[in-house]
PDB file of all heavy atoms in Angstrom:
ATOM      1  N   VAL A 703       3.835  -7.583  -4.162  1.00  0.00           N
ATOM      2  CA  VAL A 703       3.400  -6.465  -4.982  1.00  0.00           C
ATOM      3  C   VAL A 703       4.417  -5.342  -4.843  1.00  0.00           C
ATOM      4  O   VAL A 703       4.998  -5.146  -3.776  1.00  0.00           O
ATOM      5  CB  VAL A 703       1.983  -5.993  -4.586  1.00  0.00           C
ATOM      6  CG1 VAL A 703       1.952  -5.468  -3.149  1.00  0.00           C
ATOM      7  CG2 VAL A 703       1.472  -4.936  -5.556  1.00  0.00           C
ATOM      8  N   TYR A 704       4.623  -4.620  -5.925  1.00  0.00           N
ATOM      9  CA  TYR A 704       5.593  -3.541  -5.961  1.00  0.00           C
ATOM     10  C   TYR A 704       4.922  -2.236  -6.362  1.00  0.00           C
ATOM     11  O   TYR A 704       3.903  -2.231  -7.054  1.00  0.00           O
ATOM     12  CB  TYR A 704       6.710  -3.836  -6.964  1.00  0.00           C
ATOM     13  CG  TYR A 704       7.391  -5.165  -6.771  1.00  0.00           C
ATOM     14  CD1 TYR A 704       6.970  -6.293  -7.476  1.00  0.00           C
ATOM     15  CD2 TYR A 704       8.455  -5.299  -5.891  1.00  0.00           C
ATOM     16  CE1 TYR A 704       7.594  -7.513  -7.303  1.00  0.00           C
ATOM     17  CE2 TYR A 704       9.090  -6.521  -5.710  1.00  0.00           C
ATOM     18  CZ  TYR A 704       8.654  -7.625  -6.419  1.00  0.00           C
ATOM     19  OH  TYR A 704       9.277  -8.836  -6.245  1.00  0.00           O
ATOM     20  N   LEU A 705       5.517  -1.154  -5.940  1.00  0.00           N
ATOM     21  CA  LEU A 705       5.089   0.162  -6.391  1.00  0.00           C
ATOM     22  C   LEU A 705       6.332   0.959  -6.751  1.00  0.00           C
ATOM     23  O   LEU A 705       7.088   1.367  -5.869  1.00  0.00           O
ATOM     24  CB  LEU A 705       4.281   0.891  -5.317  1.00  0.00           C
ATOM     25  CG  LEU A 705       3.706   2.241  -5.749  1.00  0.00           C
ATOM     26  CD1 LEU A 705       2.620   2.049  -6.811  1.00  0.00           C
ATOM     27  CD2 LEU A 705       3.144   3.000  -4.548  1.00  0.00           C
ATOM     28  N   GLN A 706       6.533   1.150  -8.037  1.00  0.00           N
ATOM     29  CA  GLN A 706       7.627   1.979  -8.519  1.00  0.00           C
ATOM     30  C   GLN A 706       7.134   3.413  -8.587  1.00  0.00           C
ATOM     31  O   GLN A 706       6.180   3.711  -9.310  1.00  0.00           O
ATOM     32  CB  GLN A 706       8.099   1.512  -9.897  1.00  0.00           C
ATOM     33  CG  GLN A 706       9.206   2.357 -10.498  1.00  0.00           C
ATOM     34  CD  GLN A 706      10.501   2.249  -9.738  1.00  0.00           C
ATOM     35  OE1 GLN A 706      10.898   1.159  -9.338  1.00  0.00           O
ATOM     36  NE2 GLN A 706      11.164   3.371  -9.529  1.00  0.00           N
ATOM     37  N   MET A 707       7.764   4.290  -7.844  1.00  0.00           N
ATOM     38  CA  MET A 707       7.346   5.681  -7.758  1.00  0.00           C
ATOM     39  C   MET A 707       8.426   6.559  -8.371  1.00  0.00           C
ATOM     40  O   MET A 707       9.547   6.614  -7.865  1.00  0.00           O
ATOM     41  CB  MET A 707       7.084   6.078  -6.309  1.00  0.00           C
ATOM     42  CG  MET A 707       6.051   5.198  -5.610  1.00  0.00           C
ATOM     43  SD  MET A 707       5.675   5.767  -3.929  1.00  0.00           S
ATOM     44  CE  MET A 707       7.252   5.438  -3.132  1.00  0.00           C
ATOM     45  N   ASP A 708       8.075   7.234  -9.439  1.00  0.00           N
ATOM     46  CA  ASP A 708       8.998   8.116 -10.137  1.00  0.00           C
ATOM     47  C   ASP A 708       8.465   9.541 -10.130  1.00  0.00           C
ATOM     48  O   ASP A 708       7.273   9.775  -9.941  1.00  0.00           O
ATOM     49  CB  ASP A 708       9.205   7.653 -11.579  1.00  0.00           C
ATOM     50  CG  ASP A 708       9.821   6.277 -11.684  1.00  0.00           C
ATOM     51  OD1 ASP A 708      10.772   5.988 -10.929  1.00  0.00           O
ATOM     52  OD2 ASP A 708       9.349   5.478 -12.530  1.00  0.00           O
ATOM     53  N   ILE A 709       9.348  10.486 -10.373  1.00  0.00           N
ATOM     54  CA  ILE A 709       9.011  11.908 -10.413  1.00  0.00           C
ATOM     55  C   ILE A 709       8.215  12.281  -9.169  1.00  0.00           C
ATOM     56  O   ILE A 709       7.147  12.884  -9.235  1.00  0.00           O
ATOM     57  CB  ILE A 709       8.232  12.265 -11.700  1.00  0.00           C
ATOM     58  CG1 ILE A 709       8.784  11.519 -12.919  1.00  0.00           C
ATOM     59  CG2 ILE A 709       8.300  13.774 -11.961  1.00  0.00           C
ATOM     60  CD1 ILE A 709       8.005  11.737 -14.193  1.00  0.00           C
ATOM     61  N   LEU A 710       8.741  11.917  -8.044  1.00  0.00           N
ATOM     62  CA  LEU A 710       8.043  12.153  -6.790  1.00  0.00           C
ATOM     63  C   LEU A 710       7.922  13.639  -6.476  1.00  0.00           C
ATOM     64  O   LEU A 710       8.816  14.427  -6.774  1.00  0.00           O
ATOM     65  CB  LEU A 710       8.756  11.437  -5.646  1.00  0.00           C
ATOM     66  CG  LEU A 710       8.497   9.928  -5.600  1.00  0.00           C
ATOM     67  CD1 LEU A 710       9.571   9.224  -4.788  1.00  0.00           C
ATOM     68  CD2 LEU A 710       7.117   9.652  -5.026  1.00  0.00           C
ATOM     69  N   ARG A 711       6.811  13.983  -5.884  1.00  0.00           N
ATOM     70  CA  ARG A 711       6.498  15.355  -5.506  1.00  0.00           C
ATOM     71  C   ARG A 711       6.319  15.454  -3.997  1.00  0.00           C
ATOM     72  O   ARG A 711       5.994  14.469  -3.349  1.00  0.00           O
ATOM     73  CB  ARG A 711       5.203  15.803  -6.194  1.00  0.00           C
ATOM     74  CG  ARG A 711       5.200  15.681  -7.700  1.00  0.00           C
ATOM     75  CD  ARG A 711       3.792  15.820  -8.227  1.00  0.00           C
ATOM     76  NE  ARG A 711       3.734  15.750  -9.686  1.00  0.00           N
ATOM     77  CZ  ARG A 711       2.614  15.611 -10.379  1.00  0.00           C
ATOM     78  NH1 ARG A 711       1.444  15.535  -9.759  1.00  0.00           N
ATOM     79  NH2 ARG A 711       2.666  15.546 -11.710  1.00  0.00           N
ATOM     80  N   PRO A 712       6.508  16.644  -3.437  1.00  0.00           N
ATOM     81  CA  PRO A 712       6.284  16.796  -1.996  1.00  0.00           C
ATOM     82  C   PRO A 712       4.892  16.341  -1.562  1.00  0.00           C
ATOM     83  O   PRO A 712       4.737  15.806  -0.459  1.00  0.00           O
ATOM     84  CB  PRO A 712       6.477  18.299  -1.770  1.00  0.00           C
ATOM     85  CG  PRO A 712       7.448  18.695  -2.825  1.00  0.00           C
ATOM     86  CD  PRO A 712       7.072  17.864  -4.027  1.00  0.00           C
ATOM     87  N   GLU A 713       3.906  16.531  -2.395  1.00  0.00           N
ATOM     88  CA  GLU A 713       2.553  16.128  -2.053  1.00  0.00           C
ATOM     89  C   GLU A 713       2.354  14.612  -2.050  1.00  0.00           C
ATOM     90  O   GLU A 713       1.296  14.125  -1.650  1.00  0.00           O
ATOM     91  CB  GLU A 713       1.523  16.789  -2.986  1.00  0.00           C
ATOM     92  CG  GLU A 713       1.869  16.694  -4.450  1.00  0.00           C
ATOM     93  CD  GLU A 713       2.591  17.930  -4.979  1.00  0.00           C
ATOM     94  OE1 GLU A 713       3.547  18.394  -4.325  1.00  0.00           O
ATOM     95  OE2 GLU A 713       2.201  18.436  -6.048  1.00  0.00           O
ATOM     96  N   ASP A 714       3.363  13.868  -2.488  1.00  0.00           N
ATOM     97  CA  ASP A 714       3.320  12.414  -2.375  1.00  0.00           C
ATOM     98  C   ASP A 714       3.703  11.940  -0.977  1.00  0.00           C
ATOM     99  O   ASP A 714       3.593  10.749  -0.681  1.00  0.00           O
ATOM    100  CB  ASP A 714       4.258  11.764  -3.394  1.00  0.00           C
ATOM    101  CG  ASP A 714       3.805  11.980  -4.830  1.00  0.00           C
ATOM    102  OD1 ASP A 714       2.590  11.887  -5.095  1.00  0.00           O
ATOM    103  OD2 ASP A 714       4.675  12.233  -5.682  1.00  0.00           O
ATOM    104  N   THR A 715       4.164  12.847  -0.155  1.00  0.00           N
ATOM    105  CA  THR A 715       4.557  12.499   1.206  1.00  0.00           C
ATOM    106  C   THR A 715       3.372  11.940   1.978  1.00  0.00           C
ATOM    107  O   THR A 715       2.326  12.584   2.084  1.00  0.00           O
ATOM    108  CB  THR A 715       5.120  13.717   1.940  1.00  0.00           C
ATOM    109  OG1 THR A 715       6.319  14.153   1.286  1.00  0.00           O
ATOM    110  CG2 THR A 715       5.445  13.387   3.392  1.00  0.00           C
ATOM    111  N   ALA A 716       3.531  10.743   2.512  1.00  0.00           N
ATOM    112  CA  ALA A 716       2.452  10.068   3.219  1.00  0.00           C
ATOM    113  C   ALA A 716       2.968   8.747   3.770  1.00  0.00           C
ATOM    114  O   ALA A 716       4.075   8.314   3.454  1.00  0.00           O
ATOM    115  CB  ALA A 716       1.269   9.811   2.281  1.00  0.00           C
ATOM    116  N   VAL A 717       2.146   8.123   4.588  1.00  0.00           N
ATOM    117  CA  VAL A 717       2.382   6.742   4.962  1.00  0.00           C
ATOM    118  C   VAL A 717       1.701   5.873   3.920  1.00  0.00           C
ATOM    119  O   VAL A 717       0.515   6.043   3.643  1.00  0.00           O
ATOM    120  CB  VAL A 717       1.842   6.418   6.366  1.00  0.00           C
ATOM    121  CG1 VAL A 717       2.055   4.947   6.691  1.00  0.00           C
ATOM    122  CG2 VAL A 717       2.516   7.293   7.405  1.00  0.00           C
ATOM    123  N   TYR A 718       2.448   4.962   3.352  1.00  0.00           N
ATOM    124  CA  TYR A 718       1.930   4.091   2.309  1.00  0.00           C
ATOM    125  C   TYR A 718       1.636   2.715   2.888  1.00  0.00           C
ATOM    126  O   TYR A 718       2.471   2.119   3.567  1.00  0.00           O
ATOM    127  CB  TYR A 718       2.934   3.974   1.164  1.00  0.00           C
ATOM    128  CG  TYR A 718       2.960   5.198   0.275  1.00  0.00           C
ATOM    129  CD1 TYR A 718       3.465   6.406   0.748  1.00  0.00           C
ATOM    130  CD2 TYR A 718       2.460   5.149  -1.024  1.00  0.00           C
ATOM    131  CE1 TYR A 718       3.467   7.540  -0.050  1.00  0.00           C
ATOM    132  CE2 TYR A 718       2.474   6.275  -1.826  1.00  0.00           C
ATOM    133  CZ  TYR A 718       2.973   7.467  -1.337  1.00  0.00           C
ATOM    134  OH  TYR A 718       2.974   8.584  -2.141  1.00  0.00           O
ATOM    135  N   TYR A 719       0.447   2.216   2.605  1.00  0.00           N
ATOM    136  CA  TYR A 719      -0.012   0.945   3.141  1.00  0.00           C
ATOM    137  C   TYR A 719      -0.265  -0.064   2.035  1.00  0.00           C
ATOM    138  O   TYR A 719      -0.928   0.242   1.045  1.00  0.00           O
ATOM    139  CB  TYR A 719      -1.308   1.125   3.925  1.00  0.00           C
ATOM    140  CG  TYR A 719      -1.194   2.015   5.144  1.00  0.00           C
ATOM    141  CD1 TYR A 719      -1.438   3.380   5.058  1.00  0.00           C
ATOM    142  CD2 TYR A 719      -0.850   1.479   6.378  1.00  0.00           C
ATOM    143  CE1 TYR A 719      -1.343   4.197   6.170  1.00  0.00           C
ATOM    144  CE2 TYR A 719      -0.750   2.289   7.496  1.00  0.00           C
ATOM    145  CZ  TYR A 719      -0.999   3.645   7.387  1.00  0.00           C
ATOM    146  OH  TYR A 719      -0.906   4.443   8.501  1.00  0.00           O
ATOM    147  N   CYS A 720       0.221  -1.254   2.235  1.00  0.00           N
ATOM    148  CA  CYS A 720      -0.056  -2.363   1.336  1.00  0.00           C
ATOM    149  C   CYS A 720      -1.365  -3.027   1.734  1.00  0.00           C
ATOM    150  O   CYS A 720      -1.695  -3.128   2.923  1.00  0.00           O
ATOM    151  CB  CYS A 720       1.097  -3.366   1.408  1.00  0.00           C
ATOM    152  SG  CYS A 720       0.912  -4.814   0.357  1.00  0.00           S
ATOM    153  N   ASN A 721      -2.099  -3.472   0.750  1.00  0.00           N
ATOM    154  CA  ASN A 721      -3.391  -4.107   0.969  1.00  0.00           C
ATOM    155  C   ASN A 721      -3.487  -5.348   0.085  1.00  0.00           C
ATOM    156  O   ASN A 721      -3.084  -5.322  -1.072  1.00  0.00           O
ATOM    157  CB  ASN A 721      -4.509  -3.112   0.633  1.00  0.00           C
ATOM    158  CG  ASN A 721      -5.892  -3.725   0.644  1.00  0.00           C
ATOM    159  OD1 ASN A 721      -6.296  -4.375  -0.319  1.00  0.00           O
ATOM    160  ND2 ASN A 721      -6.626  -3.506   1.724  1.00  0.00           N
ATOM    161  N   ALA A 722      -4.024  -6.430   0.640  1.00  0.00           N
ATOM    162  CA  ALA A 722      -4.177  -7.664  -0.124  1.00  0.00           C
ATOM    163  C   ALA A 722      -5.489  -8.337   0.211  1.00  0.00           C
ATOM    164  O   ALA A 722      -5.817  -8.525   1.384  1.00  0.00           O
ATOM    165  CB  ALA A 722      -3.020  -8.617   0.149  1.00  0.00           C
ATOM    166  N   ASP A 723      -6.216  -8.695  -0.821  1.00  0.00           N
ATOM    167  CA  ASP A 723      -7.472  -9.415  -0.689  1.00  0.00           C
ATOM    168  C   ASP A 723      -7.191 -10.889  -0.961  1.00  0.00           C
ATOM    169  O   ASP A 723      -6.814 -11.248  -2.072  1.00  0.00           O
ATOM    170  CB  ASP A 723      -8.496  -8.856  -1.671  1.00  0.00           C
ATOM    171  CG  ASP A 723      -9.837  -9.549  -1.597  1.00  0.00           C
ATOM    172  OD1 ASP A 723     -10.152 -10.131  -0.542  1.00  0.00           O
ATOM    173  OD2 ASP A 723     -10.581  -9.496  -2.595  1.00  0.00           O
ATOM    174  N   LEU A 724      -7.374 -11.721   0.052  1.00  0.00           N
ATOM    175  CA  LEU A 724      -7.094 -13.144  -0.072  1.00  0.00           C
ATOM    176  C   LEU A 724      -8.376 -13.947  -0.224  1.00  0.00           C
ATOM    177  O   LEU A 724      -9.373 -13.684   0.452  1.00  0.00           O
ATOM    178  CB  LEU A 724      -6.335 -13.664   1.149  1.00  0.00           C
ATOM    179  CG  LEU A 724      -4.820 -13.504   1.172  1.00  0.00           C
ATOM    180  CD1 LEU A 724      -4.411 -12.034   1.188  1.00  0.00           C
ATOM    181  CD2 LEU A 724      -4.235 -14.227   2.375  1.00  0.00           C
ATOM    182  N   TRP A 725      -8.325 -14.914  -1.116  1.00  0.00           N
ATOM    183  CA  TRP A 725      -9.458 -15.802  -1.307  1.00  0.00           C
ATOM    184  C   TRP A 725      -9.804 -16.520  -0.007  1.00  0.00           C
ATOM    185  O   TRP A 725      -8.917 -16.990   0.705  1.00  0.00           O
ATOM    186  CB  TRP A 725      -9.133 -16.822  -2.392  1.00  0.00           C
ATOM    187  CG  TRP A 725     -10.228 -17.793  -2.654  1.00  0.00           C
ATOM    188  CD1 TRP A 725     -10.281 -19.105  -2.287  1.00  0.00           C
ATOM    189  CD2 TRP A 725     -11.456 -17.532  -3.349  1.00  0.00           C
ATOM    190  NE1 TRP A 725     -11.442 -19.679  -2.704  1.00  0.00           N
ATOM    191  CE2 TRP A 725     -12.199 -18.735  -3.362  1.00  0.00           C
ATOM    192  CE3 TRP A 725     -11.996 -16.404  -3.959  1.00  0.00           C
ATOM    193  CZ2 TRP A 725     -13.454 -18.831  -3.956  1.00  0.00           C
ATOM    194  CZ3 TRP A 725     -13.251 -16.503  -4.551  1.00  0.00           C
ATOM    195  CH2 TRP A 725     -13.952 -17.708  -4.551  1.00  0.00           C
ATOM    196  N   ALA A 726     -11.094 -16.593   0.310  1.00  0.00           N
ATOM    197  CA  ALA A 726     -11.649 -17.286   1.471  1.00  0.00           C
ATOM    198  C   ALA A 726     -11.590 -16.479   2.768  1.00  0.00           C
ATOM    199  O   ALA A 726     -12.082 -16.938   3.796  1.00  0.00           O
ATOM    200  CB  ALA A 726     -10.998 -18.647   1.694  1.00  0.00           C
ATOM    201  N   TYR A 727     -11.011 -15.270   2.738  1.00  0.00           N
ATOM    202  CA  TYR A 727     -11.059 -14.385   3.879  1.00  0.00           C
ATOM    203  C   TYR A 727     -12.138 -13.331   3.659  1.00  0.00           C
ATOM    204  O   TYR A 727     -12.370 -12.893   2.527  1.00  0.00           O
ATOM    205  CB  TYR A 727      -9.706 -13.719   4.125  1.00  0.00           C
ATOM    206  CG  TYR A 727      -8.681 -14.650   4.720  1.00  0.00           C
ATOM    207  CD1 TYR A 727      -7.883 -15.439   3.902  1.00  0.00           C
ATOM    208  CD2 TYR A 727      -8.512 -14.747   6.096  1.00  0.00           C
ATOM    209  CE1 TYR A 727      -6.949 -16.306   4.439  1.00  0.00           C
ATOM    210  CE2 TYR A 727      -7.576 -15.608   6.640  1.00  0.00           C
ATOM    211  CZ  TYR A 727      -6.801 -16.379   5.809  1.00  0.00           C
ATOM    212  OH  TYR A 727      -5.863 -17.238   6.348  1.00  0.00           O
ATOM    213  N   THR A 728     -12.762 -12.924   4.755  1.00  0.00           N
ATOM    214  CA  THR A 728     -13.909 -12.029   4.658  1.00  0.00           C
ATOM    215  C   THR A 728     -13.537 -10.568   4.444  1.00  0.00           C
ATOM    216  O   THR A 728     -14.379  -9.766   4.043  1.00  0.00           O
ATOM    217  CB  THR A 728     -14.788 -12.134   5.904  1.00  0.00           C
ATOM    218  OG1 THR A 728     -14.015 -11.828   7.065  1.00  0.00           O
ATOM    219  CG2 THR A 728     -15.353 -13.542   6.039  1.00  0.00           C
ATOM    220  N   ARG A 729     -12.301 -10.211   4.729  1.00  0.00           N
ATOM    221  CA  ARG A 729     -11.858  -8.847   4.540  1.00  0.00           C
ATOM    222  C   ARG A 729     -10.376  -8.820   4.209  1.00  0.00           C
ATOM    223  O   ARG A 729      -9.652  -9.761   4.529  1.00  0.00           O
ATOM    224  CB  ARG A 729     -12.148  -8.002   5.781  1.00  0.00           C
ATOM    225  CG  ARG A 729     -11.508  -8.516   7.057  1.00  0.00           C
ATOM    226  CD  ARG A 729     -12.034  -7.747   8.246  1.00  0.00           C
ATOM    227  NE  ARG A 729     -11.486  -8.210   9.498  1.00  0.00           N
ATOM    228  CZ  ARG A 729     -11.933  -7.851  10.683  1.00  0.00           C
ATOM    229  NH1 ARG A 729     -12.949  -7.007  10.781  1.00  0.00           N
ATOM    230  NH2 ARG A 729     -11.372  -8.329  11.783  1.00  0.00           N
ATOM    231  N   PRO A 730      -9.927  -7.750   3.578  1.00  0.00           N
ATOM    232  CA  PRO A 730      -8.524  -7.698   3.172  1.00  0.00           C
ATOM    233  C   PRO A 730      -7.578  -7.493   4.350  1.00  0.00           C
ATOM    234  O   PRO A 730      -7.989  -7.107   5.449  1.00  0.00           O
ATOM    235  CB  PRO A 730      -8.480  -6.507   2.217  1.00  0.00           C
ATOM    236  CG  PRO A 730      -9.606  -5.632   2.670  1.00  0.00           C
ATOM    237  CD  PRO A 730     -10.682  -6.582   3.113  1.00  0.00           C
ATOM    238  N   PHE A 731      -6.302  -7.727   4.088  1.00  0.00           N
ATOM    239  CA  PHE A 731      -5.262  -7.528   5.079  1.00  0.00           C
ATOM    240  C   PHE A 731      -4.449  -6.298   4.732  1.00  0.00           C
ATOM    241  O   PHE A 731      -4.345  -5.908   3.563  1.00  0.00           O
ATOM    242  CB  PHE A 731      -4.354  -8.754   5.158  1.00  0.00           C
ATOM    243  CG  PHE A 731      -5.031  -9.969   5.725  1.00  0.00           C
ATOM    244  CD1 PHE A 731      -5.780 -10.806   4.923  1.00  0.00           C
ATOM    245  CD2 PHE A 731      -4.927 -10.266   7.073  1.00  0.00           C
ATOM    246  CE1 PHE A 731      -6.417 -11.920   5.442  1.00  0.00           C
ATOM    247  CE2 PHE A 731      -5.555 -11.382   7.608  1.00  0.00           C
ATOM    248  CZ  PHE A 731      -6.308 -12.208   6.794  1.00  0.00           C
ATOM    249  N   TRP A 732      -3.856  -5.703   5.751  1.00  0.00           N
ATOM    250  CA  TRP A 732      -3.087  -4.483   5.600  1.00  0.00           C
ATOM    251  C   TRP A 732      -1.677  -4.646   6.132  1.00  0.00           C
ATOM    252  O   TRP A 732      -1.434  -5.357   7.106  1.00  0.00           O
ATOM    253  CB  TRP A 732      -3.758  -3.330   6.352  1.00  0.00           C
ATOM    254  CG  TRP A 732      -5.068  -2.917   5.768  1.00  0.00           C
ATOM    255  CD1 TRP A 732      -6.296  -3.429   6.067  1.00  0.00           C
ATOM    256  CD2 TRP A 732      -5.277  -1.900   4.788  1.00  0.00           C
ATOM    257  NE1 TRP A 732      -7.267  -2.790   5.325  1.00  0.00           N
ATOM    258  CE2 TRP A 732      -6.670  -1.847   4.540  1.00  0.00           C
ATOM    259  CE3 TRP A 732      -4.435  -1.025   4.104  1.00  0.00           C
ATOM    260  CZ2 TRP A 732      -7.225  -0.955   3.626  1.00  0.00           C
ATOM    261  CZ3 TRP A 732      -4.985  -0.138   3.199  1.00  0.00           C
ATOM    262  CH2 TRP A 732      -6.371  -0.108   2.976  1.00  0.00           C
ATOM    263  N   GLY A 733      -0.767  -3.960   5.485  1.00  0.00           N
ATOM    264  CA  GLY A 733       0.582  -3.887   5.990  1.00  0.00           C
ATOM    265  C   GLY A 733       0.693  -2.866   7.106  1.00  0.00           C
ATOM    266  O   GLY A 733      -0.271  -2.175   7.445  1.00  0.00           O
ATOM    267  N   GLN A 734       1.881  -2.764   7.664  1.00  0.00           N
ATOM    268  CA  GLN A 734       2.092  -1.881   8.805  1.00  0.00           C
ATOM    269  C   GLN A 734       2.211  -0.413   8.412  1.00  0.00           C
ATOM    270  O   GLN A 734       2.100   0.468   9.259  1.00  0.00           O
ATOM    271  CB  GLN A 734       3.359  -2.310   9.562  1.00  0.00           C
ATOM    272  CG  GLN A 734       4.680  -1.927   8.897  1.00  0.00           C
ATOM    273  CD  GLN A 734       5.064  -2.814   7.725  1.00  0.00           C
ATOM    274  OE1 GLN A 734       4.344  -3.728   7.346  1.00  0.00           O
ATOM    275  NE2 GLN A 734       6.239  -2.538   7.152  1.00  0.00           N
ATOM    276  N   GLY A 735       2.445  -0.166   7.153  1.00  0.00           N
ATOM    277  CA  GLY A 735       2.647   1.184   6.661  1.00  0.00           C
ATOM    278  C   GLY A 735       4.118   1.540   6.620  1.00  0.00           C
ATOM    279  O   GLY A 735       4.880   1.186   7.518  1.00  0.00           O
ATOM    280  N   THR A 736       4.509   2.241   5.579  1.00  0.00           N
ATOM    281  CA  THR A 736       5.886   2.695   5.454  1.00  0.00           C
ATOM    282  C   THR A 736       5.895   4.159   5.042  1.00  0.00           C
ATOM    283  O   THR A 736       5.136   4.572   4.165  1.00  0.00           O
ATOM    284  CB  THR A 736       6.675   1.827   4.453  1.00  0.00           C
ATOM    285  OG1 THR A 736       8.042   2.240   4.418  1.00  0.00           O
ATOM    286  CG2 THR A 736       6.093   1.911   3.043  1.00  0.00           C
ATOM    287  N   GLN A 737       6.732   4.935   5.693  1.00  0.00           N
ATOM    288  CA  GLN A 737       6.764   6.373   5.467  1.00  0.00           C
ATOM    289  C   GLN A 737       7.526   6.712   4.198  1.00  0.00           C
ATOM    290  O   GLN A 737       8.652   6.251   3.993  1.00  0.00           O
ATOM    291  CB  GLN A 737       7.407   7.085   6.659  1.00  0.00           C
ATOM    292  CG  GLN A 737       7.528   8.601   6.492  1.00  0.00           C
ATOM    293  CD  GLN A 737       6.188   9.297   6.552  1.00  0.00           C
ATOM    294  OE1 GLN A 737       5.377   9.017   7.451  1.00  0.00           O
ATOM    295  NE2 GLN A 737       5.941  10.194   5.598  1.00  0.00           N
ATOM    296  N   VAL A 738       6.907   7.524   3.368  1.00  0.00           N
ATOM    297  CA  VAL A 738       7.572   8.101   2.203  1.00  0.00           C
ATOM    298  C   VAL A 738       7.563   9.612   2.374  1.00  0.00           C
ATOM    299  O   VAL A 738       6.501  10.219   2.514  1.00  0.00           O
ATOM    300  CB  VAL A 738       6.869   7.713   0.891  1.00  0.00           C
ATOM    301  CG1 VAL A 738       7.453   8.496  -0.285  1.00  0.00           C
ATOM    302  CG2 VAL A 738       6.989   6.223   0.654  1.00  0.00           C
TER     303      VAL A 738
END
């Protein structure tokens, strides 16, 4: 999955986390987070 971020603002500053819901799993999985 991709996230193209344009016209970024200071208020967009955050740790961004990827999330994926996989079939047959009871809860979604998370990425480690990446700083923007």
Side-chain angles (χ1 to χ4, degrees):
V703 63
Y704 307 94
L705 184 68
Q706 178 67 43
M707 303 184 293
D708 298 317
I709 321 176
L710 283 160
R711 304 166 178 168
E713 48 264 47
D714 293 319
T715 296
V717 177
Y718 284 69
Y719 297 91
C720 180
N721 172 280
D723 180 24
L724 276 64
W725 179 254
Y727 286 87
T728 58
R729 58 189 179 191
F731 292 85
W732 293 88
Q734 76 283 2
T736 184
Q737 178 70 47
V738 171

